[in-house]
Amino acid sequence: MTSCKAFWVISFIAYQAFFAKINGAKSHVPALYVFGDSGLDAGNNNNLKTLAKANIAPYGIDFNNKSTGRYTNGKTFADLIAIKLGLPFSPPYLGVSESERHLVTAGVNYASGACGILNDTKFGECLSLDKQIEYFTSTVTKDLPKHFESKDKLKHHLSKSIYLVVIGSNDYSLNYFQHENMEPEQFADYLLGQLAYKIKTIYDLGARKFVVGTANQLGCSPSQFCNETINQKVKPSSDKLPILIQNLNKQLSGSSFVYVDSFNFFNRIRNAPKKYGFTNITKPCYQEGVSLCANRKKYYFWDKHGHTTEAAIKIYAKECFGGSKLCFPMNIKKLAHSSLRDSHRE
């Protein structure tokens, strides 16, 4: 196991160095740092004691036919955004050895499946958002300083990089829906308040450009399509996210925020699936122990847990990066090239 991990690290470092050499001048930003759950996990859970893993076939069948720990058949949203930014994939933090982490300078992925914003949201061992930020703190204070010659260069790197924070679904499915001890509006306020506090911690470490998303329509899944009672309980977190982002923009000097409105964007796909290339948006392509669909590009859902296919993820990534119907108040491409607000006050 150790030799395999060492080989992976060497391969990734070589890949990143090669990528930087041929594409460095074309990249929009220095790095992409990723925080989230199974929607963005690139293999962190492979290294944890949990049943929530995706390191077996056919997961990754369209990712060079390798089950890396991504909860889909191919690339994740973070992978696709990295490509569009001209960056290599952000490697899973736990997949890189401690001695090699300082060599990874184009971003790190801290996302962990079956975890959430709240520390008591979990299934098995996972990296809560607090834990992910703890690892990011280590990246900023221990690893990156070994690469950058000065504090100013490190500060520039962090301020120009993009921070993708998409998390919150498990706080409903593994937490709120288990006991529902408060009203949906009240829980949304509490959840987003916790998210804001944690985002401020990332900001204090030098981050300035954020892309933030929360839960999608959890009532629409392969097990139930669609349970509007569940959707209405989740909806407040989606409705209140723009207000949160607006407040953070005002409070955090020099910051720029984009929020991902996946909850409402999904209605476009739900109401006109064929327009987006889907013939099936209710059943999973991969039915564990039963079958695998013939054409993965025609299915919205990948597995019974509600994870989506690469075909679906590509729609979200394309729209959020260059479109105007999913990410607000600007898309990621514009965020990448935006100047830092009020930087003179920092």
Side-chain angles (χ1 to χ4, degrees), residues 7-8 11 54-70 72-74:
F7 174 77
W8 187 94
S11 298
N55 58 349
I56 57 172
Y59 288 89
I61 190 172
D62 297 308
F63 195 88
N64 296 323
N65 203 24
K66 293 181 180 179
S67 302
T68 60
R70 290 167 168 81
T72 183
N73 58 302

Side-chain angles (χ1 to χ4, degrees), residues 137-156:
T137 302
S138 181
T139 297
V140 172
T141 60
K142 296 180 181 179
D143 301 326
L144 290 177
K146 295 177 182 178
H147 175 82
F148 292 96
E149 299 172 357
S150 68
K151 289 183 178 180
D152 284 343
K153 289 186 177 181
L154 174 56
K155 180 181 179 181
H156 181 268

Side-chain angles (χ1 to χ4, degrees), residues 30-31 33 105 144 148 153-161:
Y33 293 95
T105 60
L144 290 177
F148 292 96
K153 289 186 177 181
L154 174 56
K155 180 181 179 181
H156 181 268
H157 168 88
L158 293 170
S159 68
K160 292 293 185 179
S161 297

Side-chain angles (χ1 to χ4, degrees), residues 278-337:
F278 299 117
T279 57
N280 194 318
I281 63 169
T282 62
K283 301 297 181 184
C285 169
Y286 168 49
Q287 298 189 49
E288 192 172 343
V290 181
S291 64
L292 182 66
C293 68
N295 191 341
R296 295 180 285 279
K297 294 181 180 179
K298 297 294 184 180
Y299 278 69
Y300 180 85
F301 288 111
W302 164 246
D303 63 17
K304 66 180 181 180
H305 304 293
H307 299 117
T308 50
T309 59
E310 182 184 80
I313 297 169
K314 279 184 174 180
I315 294 170
Y316 285 87
K318 179 181 179 180
E319 184 62 34
C320 191
F321 186 80
S324 60
K325 299 179 180 67
L326 172 61
C327 293
F328 305 93
M330 66 183 109
N331 57 42
I332 295 177
K333 185 176 182 179
K334 290 182 179 178
L335 174 68
H337 294 284

Side-chain angles (χ1 to χ4, degrees), residues 20-227:
K21 183 177 180 180
I22 65 172
N23 210 47
K26 299 178 183 178
S27 61
H28 295 274
V29 296
L32 176 67
Y33 293 95
V34 183
F35 305 82
D37 51 31
S38 58
L40 300 178
D41 191 346
N44 280 312
N45 275 25
N46 293 352
N47 302 279
L48 301 174
K49 295 178 181 179
T50 178
L51 294 176
K53 297 183 181 183
N55 58 349
I56 57 172
Y59 288 89
I61 190 172
D62 297 308
F63 195 88
N64 296 323
N65 203 24
K66 293 181 180 179
S67 302
T68 60
R70 290 167 168 81
Y71 292 73
T72 183
N73 58 302
K75 302 177 190 70
T76 67
F77 182 80
D79 294 331
L80 294 170
I81 294 301
I83 291 173
K84 292 177 183 297
L85 287 171
L87 295 170
F89 299 151
S90 302
Y93 181 82
L94 296 180
V96 182
S97 67
E98 188 174 349
S99 62
E100 301 286 348
R101 285 174 185 153
H102 72 282
L103 298 174
V104 182
T105 60
V108 180
N109 188 319
Y110 308 93
S112 175
C115 247
I117 297 167
L118 306 178
N119 289 328
D120 57 350
T121 295
K122 57 184 175 180
F123 175 76
E125 187 181 10
C126 64
L127 307 181
S128 66
L129 185 52
D130 273 347
K131 192 65 178 179
Q132 293 178 38
I133 294 173
E134 179 184 320
Y135 284 147
F136 175 62
T137 302
S138 181
T139 297
V140 172
T141 60
K142 296 180 181 179
D143 301 326
L144 290 177
K146 295 177 182 178
H147 175 82
F148 292 96
E149 299 172 357
S150 68
K151 289 183 178 180
D152 284 343
K153 289 186 177 181
L154 174 56
K155 180 181 179 181
H156 181 268
H157 168 88
L158 293 170
S159 68
K160 292 293 185 179
S161 297
I162 285 181
Y163 301 80
L164 181 60
V165 185
V166 182
I167 193 168
S169 293
N170 292 323
D171 292 291
Y172 282 93
S173 59
L174 299 178
N175 199 326
Y176 179 68
F177 289 141
Q178 302 303 312
H179 20 105
E180 296 194 28
N181 54 3
M182 62 179 78
E183 292 298 315
E185 294 274 346
Q186 184 182 5
F187 181 72
D189 287 336
Y190 173 67
L191 189 63
L192 292 180
Q194 290 295 306
L195 178 60
Y197 177 78
K198 298 174 197 299
I199 285 175
K200 288 175 183 176
T201 302
I202 301 174
Y203 169 88
D204 288 339
L205 288 164
R208 292 296 180 268
K209 297 186 176 186
F210 295 86
V211 179
V212 183
T214 56
N216 204 328
Q217 294 190 30
L218 299 182
C220 299
S221 69
S223 62
Q224 49 185 3
F225 197 94
C226 284
N227 186 322

